Amino acid sequence: MVLAVGIMSGTSLDGIDTALVEITGVLEKTRVKLVDFATKPYPKEILNQLHHALEAESVTVQQVSSLNFQLALSYAAVVKELCEQNQLTTGELAYVASHGQTLFHQPETLGDFPPSTLQLGDAGVLAQLLQCTVVSNFREADMAVGGQGAPIVPFADFYCYQGNKDRILQNIGGIGNLTWIKKGGSPADVVAFDTGPGNMVINELTRHFYDEAYDHDGKHAANGQVLPELVNHWLSLPYFAQPYPKTTGRELFGKTFVAKIIGENFEIAPDDLIASATMLTAKSITQACAQLTTEPCELIIAGGGAYNPVMMAMIRQTVDANFIVKTQEDLGFSSDAKEAIAMVILAQHTLQKIPNNVPSATGARKPVVLGRVTWA
Amino acid sequence: MVLAVGIMSGTSLDGIDTALVEITGVLEKTRVKLVDFATKPYPKEILNQLHHALEAESVTVQQVSSLNFQLALSYAAVVKELCEQNQLTTGELAYVASHGQTLFHQPETLGDFPPSTLQLGDAGVLAQLLQCTVVSNFREADMAVGGQGAPIVPFADFYCYQGNKDRILQNIGGIGNLTWIKKGGSPADVVAFDTGPGNMVINELTRHFYDEAYDHDGKHAANGQVLPELVNHWLSLPYFAQPYPKTTGRELFGKTFVAKIIGENFEIAPDDLIASATMLTAKSITQACAQLTTEPCELIIAGGGAYNPVMMAMIRQTVDANFIVKTQEDLGFSSDAKEAIAMVILAQHTLQKIPNNVPSATGARKPVVLGRVTWA
């Protein structure tokens, strides 16, 4: 049993999640216990730089290079704080598993550009600041063997959730993604893909209309009215009909998409747009579930969306009868901590050189070892 | 004894150097034998993208991310070819040590931007394409502990060249850098710094005036006349008087600098400018040497500049009498291969978690392990 910290900062930019865990074993012998968890916002200045890098037409290479180093400083500060609160020094950690901040992710060839992905938050800087081994860069190897480099959480999900019933794990972060773990299945049976937007469209709308980072407790959605025609129009986007495995991101459902929504619907009340965007996420999830199985199945919701009661109600309202909807918390796990814990589980396998992608989820031609190791 | 390949592609963009070596041991037991060496130009399309990324005001994050992946493809192709020519598969290599292509390097804080460095050519992609362990990213850890992230070759130089006489190893790539290895000294006694431009200014001039990538055999320099006032004017730049450790790059002696030279001296014949730029490199080296030691010392020239007979003549002509000037080839080593071999020596220590920076050369606060490990 060793202590390790997982760091996740998702596309929604809502902060840096850090999970302190006890972990032992690999594959079916993997055992993980969450010791502590914290989410800290990015420092304002870093957040501004990230928004610029993600949204501007172009950046300077100095900005990219500098962000790579500065993000590592931000991560290190959050990990140190978590360790201090648990009377630990970072040097006592066996390792830190860091996802990094995705600056760009393009799973398919687009024009002259082959698939590629770019996560920042330099592992060398992080390892030195923490005086501890860092495992990072969990997407590139999968893409090098034809995979989409995403999703990467299903590997961890399989070893945490495989059991005596079918389970669909739905994470609602910036993007929504699901993992279907079949009763009695093997890792090769895992189905996983991005369902579409998670909170990304909603957050962009609350930022635009209210200067609020997200729809706290779903209050705007609750105050608005879902416009079914609008929701169905959005659901007619080709992405939702595309067969899995598939991944999406800010490129499809980011600022450009939301600017278009706002421009096309200026006569609609902001809260109606937010309610409709909430329903878009809910229906994109429940439609995807309905297409997967008609057998009894647990649908377990995690991520920020699990804390939006309006979204949870919409999921329960639109899901087929064979599903029992739960939240991650109902199972005794922290919803927020799930992805950060998954990074630790991936890293535990990286360090043992055990392949830890799920080709059935990413579309990769073969299993590969995700991640790379930087010693302090 | 294992087989390994080192990959170096310098700031001059004159190609991808790959060295196939046999290596055994670490520290004073390090023994290296060069088996084969090749330099291949970048594919034209990649070269164009690199020039754009290095010289344009700004880039898109897609361009940066894509270059990171595409450079790995270029590196993999060159390594495969080298292995094939030696009846090897890349899977038989113990590891590949890849420097990556520097897109940005800022060793000091500049305005709002803290020091950072960015090398592209993704290790995860490379490891998968070659089916072999990759060690990469040799600069970040040093910068995280206050170093300049450069030079990184002195560590290898020390274990290859330490002996019964003082030696100064001068590499003339895009930038010129020297390493002073004292007779009977330890790694902590190593002095190393960038002397100033190597071939960078010359190459930019031949590209501008003749559409030639470099001054082949120094023919333009030989055809021109050195203008001492011009050379002395350039040598009055603050960089040359700055105390070591110090590093420089494209930011100071790149396209902007050369555009200024051309703009200010439009009445001067191109070959006179090239001859003067060649003397600038020669004198910046011999002045630096003169300030270091008046004891008997070997000055060993490596890198592309060693093949420019005019530059070699200028060095011999301006160097103090206590120096014996040799080329790397005189010592039975390939000049071109030196940096690629150095990457292998660094990686050999990374894999054993042995610190491999030289704080006296980089200015780092302490020894750290440079490099990170990606398994296939």
Side-chain angles (χ1 to χ4, degrees), chain A residues 58-59 62 65 106 116 372-373, chain B residues 58-59 62 65 106 116 124 373:
Chain A
S58 61
V59 294
Q62 184 180 39
S65 180
Q106 179 195 309
S116 72
R372 62 195 67 160
V373 180
Chain B
S58 62
V59 294
Q62 184 180 39
S65 179
Q106 180 195 307
S116 72
V373 181

Side-chain angles (χ1 to χ4, degrees), chain B residues 3-157:
Chain B
L3 283 164
V5 166
I7 314 174
M8 182 71 207
S9 55
T11 46
S12 57
L13 300 183
D14 48 11
I16 304 165
D17 297 333
T18 48
L20 174 65
V21 303
E22 286 179 1
I23 184 166
T24 184
V26 291
L27 301 174
E28 51 288 328
K29 291 186 177 154
T30 307
R31 296 292 173 272
V32 187
K33 195 186 141 205
L34 181 62
V35 178
D36 198 4
F37 173 75
T39 301
K40 297 287 172 184
Y42 274 117
K44 188 80 182 162
E45 175 51 33
I46 300 288
L47 194 61
N48 289 343
Q49 288 183 44
L50 273 174
H51 275 295
H52 174 77
L54 287 165
E55 292 153 14
E57 280 273 311
S58 62
V59 294
T60 64
V61 290
Q62 184 180 39
Q63 286 170 331
V64 175
S65 179
S66 176
L67 252 182
N68 186 39
F69 269 53
Q70 289 185 77
L71 284 168
L73 296 175
S74 298
Y75 293 156
V78 178
V79 173
K80 277 182 184 169
E81 198 179 325
L82 183 70
C83 285
E84 274 165 21
Q85 280 167 0
N86 288 275
Q87 285 79 50
L88 287 169
T89 63
T90 57
E92 291 173 77
L93 300 172
Y95 57 85
V96 165
S98 175
H99 176 269
Q101 181 65 51
T102 296
L103 201 63
F104 186 77
H105 185 77
Q106 180 195 307
E108 310 276 2
T109 296
L110 274 182
D112 290 340
F113 293 100
S116 72
T117 190
L118 186 65
Q119 280 75 39
L120 300 187
D122 190 73
V125 175
L126 192 55
Q128 288 306 321
L129 292 173
L130 297 178
Q131 284 302 294
C132 151
T133 297
V134 172
V135 185
S136 64
N137 295 78
F138 295 104
R139 298 193 187 271
E140 293 88 340
D142 183 80
M143 293 180 76
V145 294
Q148 300 216 335
I152 54 174
V153 174
F155 180 84
D157 282 343

Side-chain angles (χ1 to χ4, degrees), chain A residues 109-337:
Chain A
T109 297
L110 273 183
D112 289 341
F113 293 100
S116 72
T117 190
L118 185 64
Q119 278 76 38
L120 300 187
D122 190 73
V125 176
L126 192 55
Q128 288 306 323
L129 293 174
L130 297 178
Q131 284 302 295
C132 151
T133 298
V134 172
V135 185
S136 64
N137 295 78
F138 296 104
R139 300 193 186 270
E140 294 88 340
D142 183 81
M143 293 181 78
V145 294
Q148 301 216 333
I152 54 174
V153 174
F155 180 83
D157 282 343
F158 179 81
Y159 291 107
C160 291
Y161 296 94
Q162 212 278 336
N164 58 355
K165 57 183 83 175
D166 271 27
R167 288 190 166 123
I168 290 177
L169 308 168
Q170 173 72 46
N171 188 69
I172 308 178
I175 289 295
N177 60 72
L178 73 69
T179 305
W180 178 25
I181 294 163
K182 294 173 208 175
K183 177 173 70 175
S186 78
D189 299 316
V190 170
V191 166
F193 56 90
D194 287 349
T195 47
N199 304 311
M200 186 178 279
V201 176
I202 302 165
N203 293 358
E204 204 58 64
L205 289 169
T206 58
R207 279 221 292 159
H208 176 81
F209 288 118
Y210 301 108
D211 197 24
E212 293 171 10
Y214 65 106
D215 185 12
H216 187 72
D217 282 339
K219 67 169 194 270
H220 293 297
N223 189 48
Q225 195 175 340
V226 173
L227 305 172
E229 280 184 19
L230 199 54
V231 176
N232 290 333
H233 172 62
W234 294 337
L235 283 169
S236 70
L237 276 172
Y239 181 78
F240 297 106
Q242 198 179 311
Y244 60 80
K246 59 181 176 178
T247 59
T248 186
R250 196 168 278 278
E251 297 71 25
L252 204 54
F253 295 107
K255 215 177 173 98
T256 312
F257 177 73
V258 175
K260 192 158 168 283
I261 285 181
I262 293 168
E264 287 174 356
N265 300 284
F266 58 89
E267 80 290 357
I268 295 176
D271 284 354
D272 290 356
L273 279 181
I274 293 167
S276 301
T278 307
M279 183 58 94
L280 168 66
T281 296
K283 272 193 111 170
S284 64
I285 291 167
T286 55
Q287 281 187 6
C289 286
Q291 282 162 19
L292 289 180
T293 181
T294 53
E295 298 290 310
C297 186
E298 278 185 6
L299 172 59
I300 303 163
I301 313 289
Y307 299 112
N308 181 333
V310 178
M311 185 176 297
M312 288 302 296
M314 287 176 177
I315 290 170
R316 288 199 165 91
Q317 167 197 334
T318 58
V319 80
D320 278 8
N322 56 312
F323 288 91
I324 299 171
V325 180
K326 297 185 172 182
T327 66
Q328 197 76 42
E329 270 71 10
D330 297 333
L331 276 81
F333 283 75
S334 160
S335 201
D336 283 336

